[in-house]
């Protein structure tokens, strides 16, 4: 018998196994369809919204979610640790999203991820035009959606994962297959651009 | 430093730090610093918009995947289910002959997890079932070895708890499958606070 490490606090009781993600992932790795279904219930909507923010296409986003979970089921036995699940899941989804983006605009070069002032890049823009031209009564989220669409894909993905999905820098680094230091830079640039563009809405 | 580093303001402060405290009153430095004041105002607007975006997504059915997504995924999962090895319920009379009745490893794991979930103070995680390599007697229930990884509540006595786990697993596996549990190896891989 070996004792290793500590984990986060959990609620006591029989439902604890269902609320502890490490436990649920471990069981899904061992082939439990019930555990996998719990992961599907937990992540299908966040992943769908993540894809939707990047693709602005409901059907394509549903396909991304479906393909991501099918790949996850097949790949779970090879996942190094249950604790790596969320970053790994977002990595699968991100690769599929980027595949869709590339297929959609194969002739367009990606904007420079390190450009502090990227030009408008309307892959996911729901509507065109200067934010100042939008009607005053339009909600802030529409302006943010529009501002997000101007970011290079990696910046947009990184900022979304951090600020909306709550992933750690380490998880985002896995999801984007980038060093953590690069992820920090991407997010900082995205935030700077978004904050500047949203400033006109104050 | 600050000019070329997008993560810092002109005054040298990390934008992350300013973001994290944007909802709190400004500190002494921020009250006087024009870089921080501008950044706080910009970030507050962005934070408000982010909140509005997530609230809108929560309220609108457009931001929830259709039911078909889960249905299709689970259909495939059930087609590609991993049942693990087939474990004979009775050891065959003849060596290497096929057992008349077998149970999937996955079915035994379900018994293990269900039993463990009813014991307070532990989380049952990875588990594997092995046929005991030496202790098989023809015509009698197959002997198995359970290899279970668990996390234990920090206020529990590990020797007492693992004793309970061993006893209950042996009992439930025998009752529900007929298998004879000769050994339960337990790895306590985590402790958790309650």
């Amino acid at each position: 018998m070996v004792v290793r490490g500590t984990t986060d606090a959990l609620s006591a009781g029989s439902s604890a196994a269902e609320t502890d993600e490490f436990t649920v992932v471990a069981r899904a790795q061992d082939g439990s369809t019930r555990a996998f279904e719990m992961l599907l219930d937990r992540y299908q909507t966040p992943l769908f919204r993540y894809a939707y923010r990047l693709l602005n296409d409901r059907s394509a986003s549903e396909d991304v979610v479906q393909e991501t979970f099918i790949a996850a089921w097949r790949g779970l036995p090879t996942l190094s640790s249950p604790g790596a699940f969320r970053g790994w899941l977002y990595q699968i989804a991100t690769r599929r999203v980027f595949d869709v983006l590339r297929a959609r605009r194969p002739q367009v070069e990606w904007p420079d991820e390190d450009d502090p002032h990227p030009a408008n890049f309307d892959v996911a823009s729901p509507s065109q035009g200067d934010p100042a031209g939008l009607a005053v009564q339009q909600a802030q989220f529409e302006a943010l959606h529009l501002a997000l669409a101007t970011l290079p894909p990696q910046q947009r993905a990184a900022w979304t994962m951090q600020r909306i999905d709550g992933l750690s820098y380490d998880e985002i680094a896995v999801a984007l297959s980038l060093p953590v230091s690069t992820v920090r830079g991407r997010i900082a640039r995205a935030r700077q651009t978004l904050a500047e563009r949203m400033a006109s809405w104050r | 430093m600050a000019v070329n580093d997008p993560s810092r303001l002109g005054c040298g402060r990390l934008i992350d730090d300013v973001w994290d405290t944007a909802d709190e009153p400004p500190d002494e430095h921020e009250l006087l610093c024009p870089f921080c004041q501008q950044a706080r105002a910009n970030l507050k607007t962005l934070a408000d918009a982010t909140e509005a975006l997530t609230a809108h997504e929560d309220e609108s059915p457009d931001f929830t995947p259709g039911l078909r997504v889960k249905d299709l995924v689970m259909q495939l999962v059930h087609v590609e289910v991993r049942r693990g090895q087939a474990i004979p319920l009775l050891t065959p009379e003849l060596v290497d002959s096929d057992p008349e009745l077998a149970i999937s490893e996955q079915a035994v794991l379900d018994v293990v997890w269900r039993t463990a979930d009813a014991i307070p103070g532990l989380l049952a995680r990875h588990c594997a079932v092995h046929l005991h390599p030496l202790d098989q007697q023809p015509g009698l229930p197959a002997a198995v070895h359970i290899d279970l990884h668990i996390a234990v509540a920090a206020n529990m006595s590990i020797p007492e708890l693992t004793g309970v786990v061993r006893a209950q697993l042996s009992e439930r596996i025998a009752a529900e499958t007929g298998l004879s549990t000769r050994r339960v190896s337990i790895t306590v891989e985590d402790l958790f606070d309650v």
Side-chain angles (χ1 to χ4, degrees), chain B residues 153-186:
Chain B
N155 62 347
M156 301 294 287
S157 159
I158 291 175
E160 282 180 26
L161 185 64
T162 51
V164 170
V165 172
R166 285 195 173 92
Q168 294 203 11
L169 284 184
S170 298
E171 181 189 325
R172 292 313 310 164
I173 289 171
E176 296 192 32
T177 70
L179 292 169
S180 171
T181 304
R182 296 298 166 85
R183 192 171 147 211
V184 179
S185 297
I186 298 176

Side-chain angles (χ1 to χ4, degrees), chain A residues 12 64-65 78 89 108 123 137 157 166 179 191 193:
Chain A
V64 165
V65 175
T78 65
L89 191 68
V108 173
V123 168
Q137 69 269 24
R191 183 175 47 219
T193 304

Side-chain angles (χ1 to χ4, degrees), chain A residues 1-4 7 10 20 23 27 30 37 41 49 53 58 62 73-74 141 163 169 191 202, chain B residues 16 19 42 45 57-58 62-64 66 70 80 82 106 117 123-125 127 188-189 191:
Chain A
M1 198 170 70
V2 182
V3 179
R4 297 195 299 256
T7 190
L10 291 166
D20 178 54
T23 300
R27 293 185 185 186
D30 284 350
E37 188 172 359
D41 287 340
R49 291 176 181 177
R53 284 179 217 117
R58 183 178 173 82
E62 286 186 334
W73 173 249
R74 291 171 175 164
F141 72 83
R163 294 309 307 181
Y169 283 116
R191 183 175 47 219
R202 283 211 308 276
Chain B
D16 265 348
W19 174 279
N42 287 351
T45 303
E57 289 180 347
D58 286 340
D62 290 343
F63 292 92
T64 301
K70 178 179 175 181
E80 297 187 2
R82 293 186 282 273
Q106 190 57 229
D117 285 349
L123 298 169
R125 292 174 173 170
C127 185
V188 180
E189 61 179 22
L191 301 174

Side-chain angles (χ1 to χ4, degrees), chain B:
Chain B
M1 167 190 68
V3 174
N4 294 322
D5 183 353
S7 66
R8 289 185 185 275
L9 298 172
C11 61
R13 281 210 168 178
L14 280 170
I15 300 178
D16 265 348
D17 293 344
V18 179
W19 174 279
D20 289 342
T21 58
D23 286 336
E24 299 169 12
D27 63 20
E28 242 175 70
H29 167 88
E30 288 168 337
L31 277 172
L32 299 173
C33 173
F35 294 105
C36 288
Q37 287 173 0
Q38 181 67 44
R40 281 174 61 85
N42 287 351
L43 291 175
K44 180 71 167 61
T45 303
L46 179 54
D48 290 346
T50 306
E51 206 170 296
L53 178 71
T54 53
H56 173 71
E57 289 180 347
D58 286 340
E59 289 163 8
S60 169
D62 290 343
F63 292 92
T64 301
L67 295 175
R68 73 175 182 89
V69 173
K70 178 179 175 181
D71 288 347
L72 287 169
V73 171
M74 289 311 297
Q75 276 177 25
L76 179 126
V77 165
H78 288 300
V79 167
E80 297 187 2
V81 67
R82 293 186 282 273
R83 300 192 191 284
Q85 62 178 322
I87 299 169
L89 291 178
L90 289 176
T91 303
E93 297 284 351
L94 299 173
V95 177
D96 292 336
S97 63
D98 290 335
E100 290 181 6
L101 193 57
I103 186 170
S104 73
E105 182 178 8
Q106 190 57 229
V108 181
L109 295 189
D110 285 342
V111 176
V112 171
W113 287 323
R114 188 160 21 87
T115 303
D117 285 349
I119 303 171
L122 80 102
L123 298 169
R125 292 174 173 170
H126 282 301
C127 185
V129 183
H130 310 284
L131 276 172
H132 200 284
L134 303 174
D135 202 7
Q136 307 293 342
Q137 297 185 40
L140 292 179
V144 293
H145 167 199
I146 305 294
D147 186 0
L148 178 64
H149 289 230
I150 64 173
V152 173
N155 62 347
M156 301 294 287
S157 159
I158 291 175
E160 282 180 26
L161 185 64
T162 51
V164 170
V165 172
R166 285 195 173 92
Q168 294 203 11
L169 284 184
S170 298
E171 181 189 325
R172 292 313 310 164
I173 289 171
E176 296 192 32
T177 70
L179 292 169
S180 171
T181 304
R182 296 298 166 85
R183 192 171 147 211
V184 179
S185 297
I186 298 176
T187 300
V188 180
E189 61 179 22
D190 266 325
L191 301 174
F192 62 88
D193 296 325
V194 289

